Amino acid sequence: MTFHCRSLIVGLTLLLAACGSAERFAVSTPPVTEKVRIAFSSVEVRDVSLPSYAAADEIHLQAADGTLKSSSDVLWADAPERAVALELSRNLAQMTGRAIASEPWPFEAFPSARLELRFSDLVATSDGVFRTTGQYFVAVRDGGRERSGLFDLSVSFDPKGGPNAIAKARGQLILDLSRYIAVNGLK
């Protein structure tokens, strides 16, 4: 192998290493400690619709003037829509002790209810508040009472904690949202 060829390989290796410098942050899911009784034996978390910035891989931070800032070097560990649906399903299953799963529904029998969520906001702010707003819909099989409702929840975090603090706050926020939906939408 010639010197030129070895230099090219070393250069390409360094270039690939530099390109792979993005950090991925997993959401820390707090333990579910509360039990909630719901009216359904099974629930499918059918659709979670996030705003485009919240559905992106990049972790966004909203400045005081409303500007959303992100970096391709700071990413969520999982696709946000998938991750939020799984977090909601897991939290609700642990809270209720019922068969709850995100789509596609993995069981043979149809679920007794379907839950859809449409988020207006799901964003961390530079002043240390992670907030979510939106609407949920509960479709019921066999002619039961269908329902919908609005949500507007927030949790505080230390902005100096960076992306890890944001990921921890999102985990708490989705847990709080799960409880809110169980109490207000699934009873």
Side-chain angles (χ1 to χ4, degrees), residues 9 16 52 60 97 109 155 168 182:
I9 290 173
L16 288 174
S52 60
H60 287 77
V155 297
K168 185 175 180 181

Side-chain angles (χ1 to χ4, degrees), residues 21-183:
S21 64
E23 292 183 87
R24 292 195 172 265
F25 293 87
V27 172
S28 307
T29 305
V32 175
T33 57
E34 185 176 358
K35 297 294 181 196
V36 178
R37 295 178 61 94
I38 62 172
F40 307 103
S41 60
S42 58
V43 179
E44 177 185 21
V45 178
R46 185 171 173 148
D47 186 35
V48 172
S49 174
L50 297 176
S52 60
Y53 68 86
D57 283 344
E58 294 86 9
I59 297 175
H60 287 77
L61 191 65
Q62 188 174 40
D65 67 358
T67 306
L68 292 169
K69 301 187 186 272
S70 67
S71 168
S72 60
D73 293 336
V74 183
L75 307 173
W76 293 112
D78 194 1
E81 286 179 338
R82 176 186 180 279
V84 168
L86 289 172
E87 289 169 51
L88 282 162
S89 299
R90 185 166 107 16
N91 292 340
L92 286 168
Q94 289 179 339
M95 273 179 206
T96 66
R98 303 299 179 134
I100 299 179
S102 58
E103 69 174 333
W105 184 247
F107 302 108
E108 196 64 37
F110 290 111
S112 53
R114 287 188 327 262
L115 172 65
E116 294 191 23
L117 290 103
R118 296 179 187 161
F119 288 79
S120 301
D121 290 303
L122 182 63
V123 67
T125 64
S126 58
D127 62 350
V129 175
F130 204 128
R131 182 168 183 224
T132 187
T133 61
Q135 192 169 12
Y136 66 86
F137 303 89
V138 179
V140 180
R141 261 179 85 76
D142 301 328
R145 182 179 66 87
E146 297 187 315
R147 28 210 88 198
S148 67
L150 301 173
F151 56 88
D152 185 346
L153 304 168
S154 62
V155 297
S156 297
F157 69 95
D158 181 0
K160 294 177 187 168
N164 281 320
I166 293 171
K168 185 175 180 181
R170 191 183 96 183
Q172 183 62 54
L173 188 60
I174 298 303
L175 177 60
D176 293 351
L177 178 59
S178 301
R179 182 188 182 290
Y180 183 86
I181 290 170
V183 170

